[in-house]
Amino acid sequence: MIGLYGIPHLVGAAAALFIGSYVFGRDNRSDLHRSFAFFCFSLTVWLFGHGLSFAFTDSSTANIIARIACAGSLFIAPCF
């Protein structure tokens, strides 16, 4: 069962995925749209990973998932 702390992260990840997919679908040849879509997809990986890490009671599993989520945060700045 996921705790209350993970729900806002998962909602934000879903919203970022939806917005990024929508913008990419509008004009996938534009560099601006592609850059924004990659930015949103990086946010999705980061937020989903942190939301998922709150779901685990085992600290070692949550730590591994949080490290994977931090890999998504590495691509936020280059895409912005």
Side-chain angles (χ1 to χ4, degrees):
M1 173 151 168
I2 191 163
L4 292 176
Y5 295 116
I7 293 173
H9 290 87
L10 296 177
V11 170
L17 182 64
F18 174 74
I19 292 170
S21 299
Y22 177 75
V23 168
F24 187 71
R26 295 283 294 179
D27 184 14
N28 58 359
R29 294 179 189 214
S30 169
D31 289 337
L32 181 64
H33 288 147
R34 275 191 274 166
S35 177
F36 183 74
F38 291 143
F39 173 72
C40 288
F41 296 148
S42 298
L43 280 177
T44 300
V45 170
W46 178 52
L47 288 171
F48 183 75
H50 278 289
L52 196 60
S53 69
F54 285 123
F56 288 99
T57 57
D58 181 31
S59 63
S60 63
T61 306
N63 191 15
I64 291 170
I65 292 175
R67 288 180 186 207
I68 293 170
C70 286
S73 69
L74 291 173
F75 295 105
I76 292 173
C79 292
F80 188 70

